[in-house]
Amino acid sequence: MILRVLFFFLVLLPYTVLLMPVQVAILLIRLPGWNVLPRGFFWLVCRILSIRVTVIGKPCDKAPTLLLSNHISWMDIPVLGSIAPMSFVSKSDVKRWPLVGPMAALQKTIFVDRKRRTDSGRTSDAMAARLAKGDAVLLFAEGTSGMGTHVLPFRSALVGAAQAAIAASNSGGTVIQPVTIAYTHIHGLPVGRTDRSLIAWVGDMGPMDNLRHILASGTKSVTVMFGAPIMVRHDTDRKVVTRLAEMKVRAMLVALNRRRELPAAHTG
Protein backbone atom coordinates (compact mmCIF):
# COMPACT_ATOMS: atom_id res chain seq x y z
CA MET A 1 0.00 0.00 0.00
CA ILE A 2 2.88 2.38 0.80
CA LEU A 3 4.33 1.89 -2.67
CA ARG A 4 0.96 2.72 -4.22
CA VAL A 5 0.70 5.91 -2.18
CA LEU A 6 4.20 6.93 -3.25
CA PHE A 7 3.39 6.10 -6.87
CA PHE A 8 0.29 8.28 -6.66
CA PHE A 9 2.06 11.32 -5.22
CA LEU A 10 5.32 10.98 -7.14
CA VAL A 11 4.05 9.83 -10.55
CA LEU A 12 0.30 9.96 -11.17
CA LEU A 13 -0.48 13.29 -9.48
CA PRO A 14 2.43 15.20 -11.12
CA TYR A 15 1.53 13.68 -14.51
CA THR A 16 -2.03 14.88 -14.12
CA VAL A 17 -1.27 18.36 -12.79
CA LEU A 18 1.49 19.12 -15.29
CA LEU A 19 -0.14 17.71 -18.42
CA MET A 20 -3.77 18.66 -17.84
CA PRO A 21 -3.20 22.21 -19.22
CA VAL A 22 -1.48 20.65 -22.24
CA GLN A 23 -4.52 18.45 -22.87
CA VAL A 24 -6.82 21.47 -22.58
CA ALA A 25 -4.74 23.28 -25.21
CA ILE A 26 -4.78 20.23 -27.51
CA LEU A 27 -8.57 20.11 -27.39
CA LEU A 28 -8.99 23.87 -27.86
CA ILE A 29 -6.66 23.99 -30.86
CA ARG A 30 -8.03 20.66 -32.13
CA LEU A 31 -4.64 19.09 -32.62
CA PRO A 32 -4.34 15.43 -33.63
CA GLY A 33 -3.41 12.88 -31.00
CA TRP A 34 -5.85 14.25 -28.40
CA ASN A 35 -6.13 10.77 -26.85
CA VAL A 36 -2.41 10.23 -26.15
CA LEU A 37 -2.25 11.94 -22.74
CA PRO A 38 -5.51 10.43 -21.41
CA ARG A 39 -4.31 6.98 -22.46
CA GLY A 40 -1.10 7.59 -20.51
CA PHE A 41 -3.15 8.65 -17.49
CA PHE A 42 -5.30 5.52 -17.65
CA TRP A 43 -2.20 3.33 -18.09
CA LEU A 44 -0.77 4.80 -14.89
CA VAL A 45 -4.08 4.23 -13.08
CA CYS A 46 -3.91 0.56 -14.10
CA ARG A 47 -0.40 0.36 -12.66
CA ILE A 48 -1.38 1.92 -9.33
CA LEU A 49 -4.36 -0.44 -9.06
CA SER A 50 -2.20 -3.48 -9.96
CA ILE A 51 -4.21 -4.35 -13.07
CA ARG A 52 -2.67 -6.52 -15.77
CA VAL A 53 -4.47 -6.18 -19.09
CA THR A 54 -4.59 -8.78 -21.86
CA VAL A 55 -6.15 -7.76 -25.18
CA ILE A 56 -7.66 -10.20 -27.69
CA GLY A 57 -8.49 -8.76 -31.10
CA LYS A 58 -8.54 -5.06 -31.82
CA PRO A 59 -10.98 -2.19 -32.34
CA CYS A 60 -12.36 -1.70 -35.82
CA ASP A 61 -10.72 1.26 -37.56
CA LYS A 62 -12.27 1.04 -41.02
CA ALA A 63 -15.58 2.81 -40.26
CA PRO A 64 -17.23 4.97 -37.57
CA THR A 65 -17.51 2.56 -34.65
CA LEU A 66 -19.85 2.33 -31.69
CA LEU A 67 -18.37 -0.11 -29.18
CA LEU A 68 -20.89 -1.93 -26.97
CA SER A 69 -19.45 -3.43 -23.79
CA ASN A 70 -20.51 -5.13 -20.60
CA HIS A 71 -19.78 -3.26 -17.35
CA ILE A 72 -18.42 -4.62 -14.08
CA SER A 73 -16.44 -1.95 -12.24
CA TRP A 74 -15.30 1.64 -12.62
CA MET A 75 -11.92 -0.02 -13.34
CA ASP A 76 -13.38 -0.80 -16.77
CA ILE A 77 -12.76 2.82 -17.78
CA PRO A 78 -8.99 2.97 -17.16
CA VAL A 79 -8.62 -0.57 -18.53
CA LEU A 80 -10.40 0.21 -21.81
CA GLY A 81 -9.08 3.77 -22.00
CA SER A 82 -5.48 2.54 -21.83
CA ILE A 83 -5.92 0.23 -24.83
CA ALA A 84 -7.02 2.36 -27.77
CA PRO A 85 -8.35 5.82 -28.70
CA MET A 86 -12.00 5.98 -27.67
CA SER A 87 -14.50 8.22 -25.92
CA PHE A 88 -16.88 6.95 -23.28
CA VAL A 89 -20.55 7.48 -22.59
CA SER A 90 -20.72 7.81 -18.81
CA LYS A 91 -23.21 8.79 -16.15
CA SER A 92 -23.05 12.44 -15.14
CA ASP A 93 -22.03 11.56 -11.56
CA VAL A 94 -18.52 10.74 -12.81
CA LYS A 95 -17.91 14.44 -13.50
CA ARG A 96 -17.77 15.04 -9.75
CA TRP A 97 -15.21 12.32 -9.00
CA PRO A 98 -11.80 13.67 -7.90
CA LEU A 99 -9.10 13.37 -10.57
CA VAL A 100 -11.07 10.86 -12.67
CA GLY A 101 -13.87 13.33 -13.47
CA PRO A 102 -11.65 16.07 -14.95
CA MET A 103 -9.63 13.53 -16.90
CA ALA A 104 -12.81 11.95 -18.25
CA ALA A 105 -13.94 15.35 -19.49
CA LEU A 106 -10.55 15.91 -21.13
CA GLN A 107 -10.92 12.57 -22.88
CA LYS A 108 -14.10 13.93 -24.49
CA THR A 109 -16.41 11.72 -22.42
CA ILE A 110 -20.10 12.16 -23.23
CA PHE A 111 -21.99 12.48 -19.96
CA VAL A 112 -25.60 11.37 -19.66
CA ASP A 113 -28.05 12.11 -16.87
CA ARG A 114 -29.94 8.83 -16.55
CA LYS A 115 -32.43 10.38 -14.14
CA ARG A 116 -33.75 12.57 -16.96
CA ARG A 117 -35.42 10.68 -19.78
CA THR A 118 -35.15 13.70 -22.04
CA ASP A 119 -31.36 13.61 -21.78
CA SER A 120 -31.10 10.49 -23.95
CA GLY A 121 -31.90 12.51 -27.08
CA ARG A 122 -29.11 15.00 -26.39
CA THR A 123 -26.70 12.18 -25.61
CA SER A 124 -27.62 10.32 -28.80
CA ASP A 125 -27.00 13.47 -30.87
CA ALA A 126 -23.62 13.99 -29.21
CA MET A 127 -22.66 10.37 -29.87
CA ALA A 128 -23.74 10.63 -33.51
CA ALA A 129 -21.70 13.79 -34.01
CA ARG A 130 -18.63 12.14 -32.51
CA LEU A 131 -19.06 9.01 -34.63
CA ALA A 132 -19.55 11.11 -37.76
CA LYS A 133 -16.11 12.64 -37.13
CA GLY A 134 -14.58 9.18 -37.09
CA ASP A 135 -14.09 8.89 -33.33
CA ALA A 136 -14.77 5.55 -31.65
CA VAL A 137 -17.37 5.78 -28.88
CA LEU A 138 -17.81 3.15 -26.18
CA LEU A 139 -21.17 2.59 -24.52
CA PHE A 140 -21.74 0.35 -21.50
CA ALA A 141 -24.94 -0.95 -22.97
CA GLU A 142 -26.33 -2.64 -19.86
CA GLY A 143 -26.92 0.78 -18.31
CA THR A 144 -25.48 -0.42 -14.98
CA SER A 145 -22.70 -2.64 -13.66
CA GLY A 146 -22.92 -6.34 -12.84
CA MET A 147 -20.91 -8.97 -10.97
CA GLY A 148 -19.04 -10.08 -14.08
CA THR A 149 -20.61 -13.55 -14.12
CA HIS A 150 -23.29 -12.72 -16.68
CA VAL A 151 -24.42 -9.99 -19.06
CA LEU A 152 -27.54 -7.96 -18.33
CA PRO A 153 -29.91 -7.08 -21.21
CA PHE A 154 -28.52 -4.35 -23.46
CA ARG A 155 -30.52 -1.16 -23.79
CA SER A 156 -31.10 -0.09 -27.38
CA ALA A 157 -32.07 3.57 -26.83
CA LEU A 158 -28.61 5.07 -27.47
CA VAL A 159 -27.62 2.53 -30.12
CA GLY A 160 -29.66 4.59 -32.58
CA ALA A 161 -26.76 7.06 -32.55
CA ALA A 162 -24.93 4.72 -34.93
CA GLN A 163 -27.67 5.20 -37.52
CA ALA A 164 -27.84 8.95 -36.91
CA ALA A 165 -24.11 9.12 -37.63
CA ILE A 166 -24.70 7.73 -41.13
CA ALA A 167 -26.75 10.75 -42.10
CA ALA A 168 -24.39 13.17 -40.36
CA SER A 169 -21.31 11.81 -42.13
CA ASN A 170 -22.92 10.95 -45.47
CA SER A 171 -21.33 7.50 -45.16
CA GLY A 172 -22.67 4.18 -46.33
CA GLY A 173 -22.80 2.80 -42.81
CA THR A 174 -21.31 2.55 -39.37
CA VAL A 175 -20.37 -0.48 -37.31
CA ILE A 176 -21.25 -1.72 -33.87
CA GLN A 177 -18.46 -3.74 -32.29
CA PRO A 178 -19.12 -6.03 -29.30
CA VAL A 179 -16.51 -5.72 -26.55
CA THR A 180 -16.18 -7.96 -23.50
CA ILE A 181 -14.25 -7.21 -20.34
CA ALA A 182 -13.58 -10.10 -17.93
CA TYR A 183 -11.70 -10.07 -14.63
CA THR A 184 -10.21 -13.55 -14.61
CA HIS A 185 -7.55 -13.79 -11.88
CA ILE A 186 -6.53 -12.24 -8.56
CA HIS A 187 -2.96 -12.89 -7.48
CA GLY A 188 -2.73 -15.46 -10.27
CA LEU A 189 -5.66 -17.51 -9.02
CA PRO A 190 -8.96 -17.81 -10.95
CA VAL A 191 -11.62 -15.41 -9.71
CA GLY A 192 -14.36 -17.22 -7.80
CA ARG A 193 -17.87 -16.00 -7.08
CA THR A 194 -16.91 -14.76 -3.61
CA ASP A 195 -13.94 -12.82 -5.03
CA ARG A 196 -16.10 -10.76 -7.36
CA SER A 197 -17.26 -8.48 -4.55
CA LEU A 198 -13.64 -7.24 -4.44
CA ILE A 199 -13.94 -6.04 -8.04
CA ALA A 200 -17.54 -5.40 -9.02
CA TRP A 201 -19.36 -2.19 -8.21
CA VAL A 202 -22.95 -3.19 -7.50
CA GLY A 203 -25.89 -2.26 -5.31
CA ASP A 204 -25.50 0.71 -2.97
CA MET A 205 -21.70 0.47 -2.84
CA GLY A 206 -20.04 3.88 -2.99
CA PRO A 207 -16.99 4.60 -5.17
CA MET A 208 -14.67 4.86 -2.15
CA ASP A 209 -15.87 1.50 -0.77
CA ASN A 210 -15.23 -0.07 -4.16
CA LEU A 211 -11.79 1.58 -4.32
CA ARG A 212 -10.82 0.18 -0.89
CA HIS A 213 -11.80 -3.33 -2.01
CA ILE A 214 -9.83 -2.96 -5.22
CA LEU A 215 -6.69 -1.69 -3.49
CA ALA A 216 -6.87 -4.54 -0.98
CA SER A 217 -7.40 -7.27 -3.58
CA GLY A 218 -3.86 -7.50 -4.97
CA THR A 219 -2.85 -8.01 -8.59
CA LYS A 220 -5.84 -8.37 -10.91
CA SER A 221 -5.76 -9.89 -14.40
CA VAL A 222 -8.34 -8.61 -16.85
CA THR A 223 -8.95 -9.65 -20.45
CA VAL A 224 -10.57 -7.36 -23.02
CA MET A 225 -11.86 -9.03 -26.18
CA PHE A 226 -12.99 -7.22 -29.32
CA GLY A 227 -15.55 -9.20 -31.30
CA ALA A 228 -16.42 -9.08 -34.99
CA PRO A 229 -18.07 -5.78 -36.03
CA ILE A 230 -21.72 -5.65 -37.05
CA MET A 231 -22.57 -3.38 -39.98
CA VAL A 232 -25.34 -0.84 -39.36
CA ARG A 233 -27.23 0.84 -42.20
CA HIS A 234 -30.21 3.20 -42.51
CA ASP A 235 -32.75 0.39 -42.43
CA THR A 236 -31.12 -1.71 -39.68
CA ASP A 237 -33.45 -2.64 -36.84
CA ARG A 238 -31.92 -1.02 -33.77
CA LYS A 239 -33.33 -3.56 -31.34
CA VAL A 240 -32.22 -6.53 -33.41
CA VAL A 241 -28.64 -5.33 -33.76
CA THR A 242 -28.48 -4.49 -30.04
CA ARG A 243 -29.67 -7.99 -29.18
CA LEU A 244 -27.07 -9.51 -31.53
CA ALA A 245 -24.27 -7.49 -29.90
CA GLU A 246 -25.52 -8.56 -26.46
CA MET A 247 -25.41 -12.24 -27.46
CA LYS A 248 -21.85 -11.88 -28.78
CA VAL A 249 -20.66 -10.13 -25.61
CA ARG A 250 -22.30 -12.82 -23.47
CA ALA A 251 -20.66 -15.63 -25.47
CA MET A 252 -17.23 -14.02 -25.09
CA LEU A 253 -17.71 -13.45 -21.34
CA VAL A 254 -18.75 -17.05 -20.71
CA ALA A 255 -15.78 -18.34 -22.69
CA LEU A 256 -13.31 -16.08 -20.86
CA ASN A 257 -14.70 -16.82 -17.39
CA ARG A 258 -14.88 -20.57 -17.93
CA ARG A 259 -11.66 -20.79 -19.98
CA ARG A 260 -13.44 -22.33 -22.93
CA GLU A 261 -12.71 -22.01 -26.64
CA LEU A 262 -13.13 -18.37 -27.56
CA PRO A 263 -15.39 -17.04 -30.32
CA ALA A 264 -13.69 -15.33 -33.25
CA ALA A 265 -12.10 -11.99 -32.37
CA HIS A 266 -11.72 -9.03 -34.72
CA THR A 267 -8.18 -8.94 -36.09
CA GLY A 268 -8.52 -6.30 -38.79
Side-chain angles (χ1 to χ4, degrees):
M1 182 65 75
I2 294 176
L3 290 177
R4 290 179 179 178
V5 172
L6 289 174
F7 187 91
F8 175 80
F9 283 105
L10 297 179
V11 180
L12 183 60
L13 190 58
Y15 180 95
T16 305
V17 172
L18 293 175
L19 295 180
M20 190 175 287
V22 178
Q23 179 68 6
V24 171
I26 290 173
L27 293 178
L28 288 175
I29 303 174
R30 299 182 180 180
L31 294 174
W34 64 268
N35 197 259
V36 173
L37 295 181
R39 284 183 66 185
F41 169 81
F42 287 132
W43 186 87
L44 291 174
V45 171
C46 288
R47 300 288 75 74
I48 202 172
L49 296 178
S50 296
I51 301 173
R52 295 178 178 174
V53 183
T54 299
V55 181
I56 301 175
K58 65 179 184 178
C60 178
D61 57 3
K62 295 181 173 27
T65 304
L66 176 61
L67 302 157
L68 297 187
S69 174
N70 63 317
H71 191 21
I72 301 168
S73 166
W74 64 266
M75 286 191 296
D76 300 349
I77 294 176
V79 166
L80 293 164
S82 68
I83 293 173
M86 64 180 71
S87 297
F88 294 95
V89 179
S90 178
K91 61 182 182 179
S92 57
D93 295 353
V94 173
K95 284 196 286 189
R96 297 189 291 271
W97 290 6
L99 201 61
V100 174
M103 287 305 299
L106 291 177
Q107 204 211 14
K108 302 203 293 187
T109 294
I110 301 168
F111 294 104
V112 56
D113 187 347
R114 290 176 179 154
K115 297 178 182 178
R116 297 173 54 191
R117 292 186 178 181
T118 55
D119 202 44
S120 61
R122 179 200 60 81
T123 304
S124 183
D125 291 342
M127 291 169 60
R130 198 70 58 79
L131 289 168
K133 293 178 181 178
D135 292 346
V137 176
L138 186 137
L139 173 66
F140 295 114
E142 295 163 297
T144 187
S145 55
M147 289 297 293
T149 56
H150 59 281
V151 175
L152 300 172
F154 279 11
R155 300 180 179 182
S156 63
L158 295 178
V159 176
Q163 288 174 307
I166 299 174
S169 63
N170 294 318
S171 64
T174 59
V175 299
I176 287 176
Q177 185 169 23
V179 181
T180 296
I181 183 165
Y183 295 85
T184 58
H185 294 79
I186 295 180
H187 271 319
L189 299 175
V191 174
R193 184 174 293 273
T194 57
D195 299 320
R196 294 196 177 278
S197 61
L198 301 175
I199 298 172
W201 183 10
V202 293
D204 297 328
M205 183 184 294
M208 293 309 298
D209 293 328
N210 189 223
L211 177 60
R212 281 193 291 268
H213 289 167
I214 290 168
L215 290 174
S217 61
T219 302
K220 293 157 284 292
S221 298
V222 55
T223 299
V224 177
M225 184 170 179
F226 292 90
I230 306 166
M231 180 60 68
V232 178
R233 303 194 184 279
H234 291 284
D235 56 352
T236 300
D237 188 310
R238 171 170 52 89
K239 293 184 178 181
V240 170
V241 75
T242 302
R243 175 63 176 165
L244 178 57
E246 175 193 324
M247 292 170 61
K248 289 190 174 187
V249 170
R250 180 174 291 110
M252 290 187 287
L253 181 65
V254 169
L256 289 169
N257 281 342
R258 300 180 182 179
R259 293 173 288 283
R260 294 178 177 175
E261 183 178 353
L262 296 173
H266 178 62
T267 57

